[in-house]
Amino acid sequence: MQAPVPARHAVSDVMSHTAVAVGRDASYKEIVALMDQWSVSALPVLEGEGRVVGVVSEADLLPKEAYRGEDPDPGRFGDAAKAGAMRAGDLMSAPAVTVHADASLAEAARIMARRRVKRLPVVNDLGLLEGVVSRSDLLKVFLREDDEIEREVRRSVLGGGALAGLDVAVADGVATLRGTLPDRSLVPLLARAARAVEGVVDVRMELEGAGESPEEPHEISS
C-alpha cells in the first residue's frame, strides 16, 4: 500500500495578492516609510513591467545605522558599502529569492528556512510579481478547525478499504488514529500521511491487532 496523498494548499491560497513594492530608484527614506506604513520587513524591487530583480529588507537598511561613524570590520565591506547606499538598486539583495504561486506551503517554508528570509515575492513564469507570502501566511494552516482536519484525514488518509477499521479524532491539532489495523507495516505510512494533512500538529496512534482486545489497544505515538 502506498501512503495516501492528502489535499494540499498552494502558496496562492494564503499569499497577499496586493504587494507593496518599489523601483530601483526608490530612496532610503521612502523605503523605510513604506515598511513602517505597511508593517512589513522587506519589499520587492521591480523594474520594467513588474519583474522582480531584488528584495530590500530591514537587514539591508541596518548597516547605515550600524556603521554610523564606525570603520568596517575586516570581511564586512559589503555591509559598509550598503551603509553609504541611498537607492533601492544599491541596497537590495539580488537576485531575489522568490517562489511560484503553485508551490506547496511546505516548499515555501523550506525556502524561507534555508535562505533565512521572512517574506518571499511570489512570481509567475516570467518573473513578474503576483504577490507576497510571509511566515505568518504559512502558519495560517494551523488555524484550521479540528473538525475540518478530521474530515480531511477520514477522506484522504482513511478512505481506503484496508483501513475501514480505523477512525480519527482531532483535538488541538493532534490527530489520534484509533481502531483495528491487522497489518502493522502500514503504521509508518499512516503516520506520515496523517502528519502531511495541513493543520496537523502531531499524530498519535491507538491501534489494535486483529486478535487483540479492544479494551487494551496497542498505543503508538509518532
Side-chain angles (χ1 to χ4, degrees):
M1 170 188 172
Q2 293 183 338
V5 180
R8 301 291 183 87
H9 287 84
V11 167
S12 59
D13 296 320
V14 300
M15 73 183 193
S16 299
H17 292 268
T18 302
V20 185
V22 296
R24 284 181 178 271
D25 291 331
S27 70
Y28 187 100
K29 291 198 70 171
E30 180 183 353
I31 295 166
V32 174
L34 282 171
M35 286 184 177
D36 180 68
Q37 178 184 352
W38 293 94
S39 300
V40 296
S41 59
L43 296 171
V45 181
L46 310 181
E47 70 176 10
E49 298 298 318
R51 185 167 60 89
V52 180
V53 293
V55 173
V56 60
S57 69
E58 293 170 336
D60 296 315
L61 301 176
L62 280 176
K64 188 172 289 295
E65 184 64 28
Y67 288 96
R68 187 185 300 277
E70 298 288 337
D71 293 328
D73 298 328
R76 302 298 296 272
F77 293 107
D79 286 347
K82 286 192 176 184
M86 293 296 296
R87 301 289 173 183
D90 299 316
L91 289 160
M92 70 183 186
S93 298
V97 180
T98 62
V99 69
H100 285 85
D102 59 358
S104 70
L105 303 190
E107 181 181 351
R110 286 193 293 269
I111 293 173
M112 286 185 184
R114 185 168 60 247
R115 302 301 293 270
R116 298 182 180 179
V117 295
K118 299 177 181 179
R119 296 165 62 82
L120 290 172
V122 183
V123 300
N124 63 16
D125 291 338
L126 298 177
L128 302 181
L129 184 67
E130 293 190 333
V132 172
V133 64
S134 67
R135 290 176 178 176
S136 60
D137 291 329
L138 299 184
L139 293 175
K140 288 177 183 177
V141 295
F142 294 104
L143 298 177
R144 297 182 74 187
E145 297 292 335
D146 287 340
D147 58 353
E148 180 184 353
I149 298 172
E150 278 187 18
R151 288 194 297 270
E152 183 171 341
V153 173
R154 287 195 183 98
R155 176 181 57 80
S156 63
V157 180
L158 303 182
L163 306 176
L166 295 179
D167 196 11
V168 60
V170 178
D172 292 330
V174 178
T176 301
L177 302 180
R178 297 188 177 97
T180 303
L181 183 67
D183 186 354
R184 291 305 175 88
S185 68
L186 299 180
V187 169
L189 296 177
L190 277 173
R192 190 180 308 119
R195 194 177 293 110
V197 172
E198 288 164 349
V200 170
V201 176
D202 194 13
V203 177
R204 297 173 183 171
M205 294 194 178
E206 299 176 3
L207 304 178
E208 307 156 16
E212 295 179 5
S213 168
E215 287 76 24
E216 296 181 355
H218 183 67
E219 295 190 5
I220 300 175
S221 176
S222 62

